[in-house]
Amino acid sequence: MNRRAFLLFCALALGNAVLPLRARADDQAPSDAARERWKNLSPEQREKLRERHREFEKLPPEEQQRVRKNFERWQKLSPKKKEATRERYKRWRELPPEKREQLRERWKSLSPEEKKKLRKRRGGRKPKPD
């Protein structure tokens, strides 16, 4: 997931949890818990969420759907798996940009069958960076 998509994913995750100012895409009314979480955010955090939400709304419908599906998958993960995912992402972000690009290119060069094999070997996850 590229950085922009990741940030939008985070915004959707947080926005779905705390944005009480207007109905969300699924037309659910915000819960009392969401209203409380929103009240506890700093003005900077609120503005950041609003900005990410505006970015999300500018995405084409297919991209919005992709982000929503990723969010739904994220919600279903156990806390342990979420933490492991955060840690892998942190390690990925710590790699030098040229190493990340090298790994992306290597991944892109694999056939769908090779990607499937690697995911299966790693429990459905994409391979960790070297």
Side-chain angles (χ1 to χ4, degrees):
M1 183 179 325
N2 66 33
R3 181 169 167 73
R4 180 172 181 234
F6 177 75
L7 292 173
L8 290 171
F9 169 78
C10 291
L12 181 62
L14 289 170
N16 242 6
V18 299
L19 278 178
L21 298 181
R22 58 192 240 190
R24 297 187 303 255
D26 56 8
D27 290 329
Q28 287 180 321
S31 67
D32 290 339
R35 290 178 200 281
E36 192 59 36
R37 286 189 297 268
W38 180 259
K39 281 193 250 181
N40 290 329
L41 293 176
S42 71
E44 295 81 17
Q45 290 170 315
R46 289 180 188 184
E47 186 52 39
K48 199 176 274 190
L49 271 176
R50 287 182 185 117
E51 178 56 35
R52 296 285 185 250
H53 184 73
R54 285 188 290 269
E55 286 181 35
F56 176 78
E57 288 181 327
K58 291 177 187 176
L59 291 174
E62 323 69 66
E63 184 71 7
Q64 286 184 16
Q65 187 59 32
R66 189 179 69 77
V67 171
R68 282 190 182 101
K69 279 188 175 198
N70 285 337
F71 173 66
E72 289 167 8
R73 282 197 341 239
W74 175 260
Q75 283 185 310
K76 292 175 185 175
L77 292 178
S78 69
K80 187 176 179 180
K81 287 186 178 182
K82 285 180 182 178
E83 187 55 39
T85 302
R86 286 183 192 105
E87 186 56 38
R88 281 192 307 277
Y89 183 74
K90 180 183 174 197
R91 285 194 314 265
W92 170 259
R93 294 299 303 161
E94 290 171 350
L95 289 173
E98 50 283 347
K99 180 69 173 175
R100 287 195 311 252
E101 187 58 31
Q102 178 187 20
L103 291 169
R104 273 190 206 101
E105 291 304 316
R106 205 164 97 197
W107 178 257
K108 286 179 191 176
S109 70
L110 296 174
S111 70
E113 296 79 28
E114 291 170 315
K115 289 178 182 179
K116 190 175 182 177
K117 275 187 204 175
L118 280 172
R119 284 186 179 124
K120 192 173 185 175
R121 265 193 5 220
R122 310 217 40 93
R125 300 183 318 262
K126 289 186 180 178
K128 290 181 185 177
D130 294 339

